[in-house]
Amino acid sequence: MTSPKQKPLVLTMGDPAGIGPEITVGAWKALRKTGPAFAWIGDPACLPPGTPYEDVVTLTEASSVFPKALPVLPLSLPAPVHPGEPDVLNAGPVVDSILRAVGLTRAEDAGAVVTNPISKAVLRSAGFPHPGHTEFLAELCEVPGEEVMMLASPMLRVVPVTVHVSLREALDTLTTDLIVKVARTTAHALKRDFGITNPRLAIAGLNPHAGEEGHMGREEIDIIIPAIEQLRAKGLNIQGPMPPDTMFTDAARATYDVALCMYHDQALIPIKTLDMENGVNTTLGLPIVRTSPDHGTAFDIAGKGLAKPESLIAALRLAGKLAAYRAANPEPPEMRFT
């Protein structure tokens, strides 16, 4: 079970019409005897029928409740929930769940934030201005622009340099400075939270064969290699640019701790192909620990008993591990977010 000294985690509601309620219960069943303990912020009315839950007022109560029932920090929804049928009327509480989770964690009442999947389309329809969780969390933590998305599993860690933008916009926004910034944040986080003293970063090329010395594109020569040179000059352990079509083989993955990729799908396709069920999304560059499963709301299977909780279980376990490591290894203030 979770150490008595370890603070419980806080899990957001996500879109209540998605698989969030189902996987929340599945994760609680899997972890109730071993931990880490967590409390769910949401409306118990959308939990699967028969779920043993208990309303709690504080996270301190959650730790004692967790072995026997799902601890719930209740949050009412204005519209009834029908699995697979998202309702924009419920967008406000979905955002409120995130706000409360971040507030509890920044106040050090919770050890970390774990987020259930949201529907970006539903939230945008309600006026939500952010591309996704990651950017919203950075704003709430007062470090906008410092956020970096990492997908991690036992088989692979990947970081996309450009994230929630179209491929065309990704090509337009990719710069040497951006690669350097993302790489430095990633290396710092691997030291700070994962305990890797000398992180090995592999930088992907953008073009086929990493540009073939300019014959298949000049981005490697003009943008990526200058970033690699700057990073090596700062003492970082860097290799690349690596051809994207070969850098995810078993042999190649053994040579690095994380792969920095130039756009979203270049990073997410390999990890989801290799280890979808154990993949975890974690946000680097924040003053708090945040993880989430690496899948979406899955409205098409919501309420059908088909949702698997493995990625959420992995996200909760990783959040507990990272929070415990941070608590045991406090960082000097002058070293934070550099």
Side-chain angles (χ1 to χ4, degrees):
M1 189 59 194
T2 305
S3 165
K5 295 182 179 179
Q6 187 171 344
K7 296 170 184 174
L9 313 177
V10 62
L11 175 63
T12 66
M13 179 166 56
D15 193 299
I19 62 172
E22 297 169 71
I23 62 175
T24 293
V25 174
W28 169 73
K29 289 179 178 178
L31 299 174
R32 60 182 171 174
K33 294 182 179 179
T34 62
F38 65 89
W40 179 70
I41 302 175
D43 190 334
C46 68
L47 292 171
T51 297
Y53 74 89
E54 187 172 325
D55 288 354
V56 297
V57 177
T58 68
L59 286 173
T60 302
E61 295 175 61
S63 294
S64 59
V65 167
F66 191 74
K68 59 184 179 180
L70 172 68
V72 175
L73 292 164
L75 182 66
S76 297
L77 293 168
V81 174
H82 303 287
E85 300 176 16
D87 192 329
V88 72
L89 292 177
N90 289 329
V94 171
V95 175
D96 290 342
S97 175
I98 302 167
L99 289 167
R100 189 172 182 189
V102 172
L104 288 166
T105 308
R106 295 198 72 190
E108 300 185 353
D109 294 323
V113 173
V114 182
T115 56
N116 263 312
I118 57 174
S119 168
K120 300 177 183 67
V122 171
L123 294 188
R124 276 197 299 268
S125 296
F128 186 70
H130 306 279
H133 264 127
T134 304
E135 298 82 1
F136 185 38
L137 290 164
E139 181 177 292
L140 293 179
C141 290
E142 302 177 271
V143 288
E146 299 301 315
E147 70 277 7
V148 168
M149 185 174 81
M150 173 188 283
L151 273 290
S153 85
M155 298 183 70
L156 177 66
R157 297 186 191 95
V158 294
V159 169
V161 174
T162 61
V163 190
H164 294 129
V165 295
S166 70
L167 181 56
R168 184 176 300 281
E169 188 175 349
L171 298 177
D172 292 337
T173 57
L174 184 68
T175 65
T176 296
D177 288 346
L178 181 59
I179 296 170
V180 169
K181 179 181 177 182
V182 170
R184 293 188 70 186
T185 298
T186 301
H188 178 263
L190 289 176
K191 293 180 183 179
R192 174 74 184 92
D193 294 332
F194 291 80
I196 301 173
T197 55
N198 182 29
R200 302 168 300 165
L201 278 66
I203 310 292
L206 175 68
N207 297 300
H209 303 180
E212 198 77 63
E213 297 184 355
H215 295 290
M216 296 185 183
R218 289 195 54 86
E219 284 81 4
E220 285 77 13
I221 295 170
D222 297 337
I223 298 173
I224 301 173
I225 291 174
I228 290 171
E229 291 171 347
Q230 287 187 38
L231 292 165
R232 285 176 177 160
K234 296 178 185 295
L236 275 71
N237 187 344
I238 304 289
Q239 61 171 308
M242 298 181 69
D245 61 344
T246 58
M247 69 181 295
F248 300 107
T249 63
D250 290 347
R253 296 200 312 275
T255 68
Y256 57 79
D257 298 303
V258 63
L260 262 67
C261 301
M262 298 302 105
Y263 57 93
H264 183 278
D265 284 6
Q266 190 184 56
L268 271 64
I269 287 173
I271 191 168
K272 290 188 176 186
T273 300
L274 287 168
D275 203 6
M276 179 75 179
E277 290 187 351
N278 294 303
V280 176
N281 183 346
T282 183
T283 305
L284 314 180
L286 303 181
I288 61 173
V289 171
R290 178 264 176 157
T291 66
S292 75
D294 72 347
H295 57 70
T297 53
F299 291 129
D300 58 323
I301 62 169
K304 298 178 180 178
L306 301 175
K308 296 181 179 180
E310 279 80 5
S311 185
L312 179 58
I313 294 167
L316 288 157
R317 284 176 171 155
L318 180 60
K321 180 180 178 181
L322 299 184
Y325 189 86
R326 278 198 184 192
N329 299 275
E331 184 180 34
E334 65 273 12
M335 293 298 293
R336 292 176 184 163
F337 315 123
T338 58

